Every structure is written in structure tokens, then in C-alpha cells.
Amino acid sequence: MPRSAITLLVLGPLAAHVLAAQVDSARAKTRAGTIDGVVSDTTLAPLAEATVSILGSDIRIVTGTSGRFRMVRIPPGQYIVLVRRLGFEPTSARLQVAEAETLRVSFSLERVVATLDTVRVATPHVSPRLAEFDARRKWGEGQFMTQDQIEKANSPWVSSLLGAFKHVTVVYDTFGAHAWNFRGIGKKCLFQILVDGLPQPSPDLDRLPSPKELAGIEVYFGAATIPLQYKRLDGATCGLIMIWTRDGS
């Protein structure tokens, strides 16, 4: 048999394997979606240097002078997109990306207006969501961890912080870290988790923002103590964990 024929027989399976891998890669790219959007202020003027990120991932994009951004090769699924810019209130939205879809979105950020007077000159601006956190903490229905307490704990993982709460049992398995509510022998269920008021698409605690980004955590063990505006959430009857990120973080 000629040497060239032997070479083809040896390389044939390898070449077929490489070709199959290339086809699978092309199909994966075809199934992936795209998020195409723009960030503006309340007057619809485009905002440059706004950071757009997907919660629980390393995807972060900074808008240009046109305020536009584009995220490509996003696997189909549900995501929470965060938008931040210095001097503006952060915002977020839950998006559903379909196969091979280009999802077009727009975000409008409200400018932070500093209110100064002779009494509170040095008081920093507090967003309404964090003001509600402080109000509930003073009321005392749930369990709370402030930004100062988070910083003193000096933990690299949110799961370690949640493990310090009463009635929260953090379980580590092959699927990540999860917060369980054990209500008795043989009775357990997962806590509902919100980040900045939005349901977390994955119960894996390791996909939550870093403790360095957090302004506070509040935990409600039973449905009776959950704040009224969150009682109707799916899964909230099992207990609720609310995580708040820092303003402008």
C-alpha cells in the first residue's frame, strides 16, 4: 500500500473528530443569543462610561459615547442585568434570552441629586432601597447584617456570611452552595433569594455578588415576618433572603 494511502487511513478518524468538533462549536454559536442595548439618562441623552454586567458572571461592558453596548454569545436562559454609572442611581432588569435571538433593551438612569443642609452636610446619599433596608432593620422583624458587619467579617464568600444567620443552613454539594431552611425532622426547603429586589435565577450562593459589593443582608425565616410587598413571591413561604448591593458599587 502506498505511504500516502496509509497516512490518510491514520489521519481519517482524527480529521473526522476535528470536523465534528468544529460543527458542534458552530451550532453552539448559532444557538447563542445577543443582548443589544443603550443606556441613557431620564432626558434620553446617551450615557457613556456606564457599566453593564450580568449578575453571577464575569461579563462586564462599559458603554461608549453613544451609550450603546452589545453582549454576544449569550447562552439561552434568564439573566439579571445590572447597570451602574457614577452619579446615577443603579438599575437592573431580568431578561430572557432565547436561542439565536437579538434582544434589544434600553436602560434609563436617574441622576443622584445631593441634598445638603446645615445639619447633614456630611451625610451621603442613600437610595430608597437602602432606606427601606434601614427602616426594616430598626423595626426588627427579621435578621440583618449591615455593611459594617459585612466588612468586619472579612469573608470572600456570601455563603460564609449567610451561615452566620440563625435558621440558615448552608449546604455545599456538586451543584454549589445552597441556603436551606430546616423546619423540622424531614422538612426542608430552599430560601428564596433576592438581589436588589429581583429574584435570583440560580440558588447557587457562589453566583451572588462579592461581599465587597454588598450594603446589607436581611433574612426572614417564616412567611409571617416577610415584608408585605414580598409575600406573594413564588417560594417566599419557605423563607426569604434579601441581598442589597452598594450604591454605585
Side-chain angles (χ1 to χ4, degrees):
M1 181 179 294
R3 181 179 298 176
S4 60
I6 296 175
T7 302
L8 288 174
L9 288 174
V10 173
L11 294 181
L14 177 60
H17 178 75
V18 172
L19 180 60
Q22 292 175 343
V23 171
D24 289 341
S25 177
R27 288 176 178 173
K29 291 179 181 179
T30 301
R31 290 196 299 268
T34 300
I35 300 176
D36 191 5
V38 61
V39 180
S40 64
D41 62 14
T42 52
T43 68
L44 300 183
L47 288 179
E49 299 182 357
T51 300
V52 185
S53 61
I54 293 181
L55 186 65
S57 77
D58 295 328
I59 299 177
R60 277 180 171 78
I61 295 178
V62 178
T63 59
T65 55
S66 64
R68 303 200 65 85
F69 67 91
R70 186 176 178 85
M71 297 175 173
V72 299
R73 299 181 183 178
I74 306 297
Q78 189 178 87
Y79 301 93
I80 293 179
V81 175
L82 306 178
V83 183
R84 297 183 175 95
R85 189 186 186 280
L86 186 63
F88 291 82
E89 293 283 2
T91 189
S92 58
R94 182 167 51 182
L95 304 180
Q96 181 71 40
V97 179
E99 290 188 5
E101 176 190 27
T102 297
L103 189 62
R104 305 191 186 280
V105 295
S106 61
F107 295 92
S108 178
L109 302 186
E110 184 175 351
R111 187 179 295 276
V112 173
V113 179
T115 303
L116 302 178
D117 54 41
T118 56
V119 177
R120 298 188 301 168
V121 173
T123 300
H125 172 82
V126 178
S127 66
R129 60 192 179 88
L130 294 183
E132 290 182 9
F133 169 83
D134 287 333
R136 287 191 293 266
R137 183 170 61 87
K138 293 175 182 177
W139 188 256
E141 286 289 345
Q143 302 175 63
F144 296 84
M145 185 176 291
T146 64
Q147 182 175 324
D148 288 341
Q149 292 171 323
I150 293 172
E151 291 175 349
K152 288 179 180 178
N154 195 29
S155 172
W157 305 105
V158 175
S159 55
S160 299
L161 297 175
L162 292 176
F165 284 87
K166 186 179 179 181
H167 302 306
V168 177
T169 302
V170 177
V171 177
Y172 300 87
D173 54 33
T174 55
F175 299 101
H178 303 92
W180 287 93
N181 187 344
F182 288 84
R183 299 189 166 189
I185 299 176
K187 296 181 180 179
K188 66 176 184 178
C189 54
L190 286 169
F191 277 91
Q192 171 72 39
I193 301 178
L194 304 184
V195 176
D196 289 338
L198 295 175
Q200 176 71 2
S202 169
D204 185 2
L205 303 179
D206 291 335
R207 296 177 64 87
L208 295 174
S210 164
K212 294 181 180 180
E213 299 179 76
L214 302 187
I217 302 174
E218 49 188 306
V219 175
Y220 299 91
F221 172 65
T225 60
I226 293 176
L228 183 62
Q229 64 267 42
Y230 300 107
K231 283 184 179 293
R232 296 184 180 180
L233 288 172
D234 292 337
T237 55
C238 191
L240 183 65
I241 295 174
M242 292 197 287
I243 294 175
W244 304 99
T245 58
R246 303 182 187 183
D247 290 337
S249 64

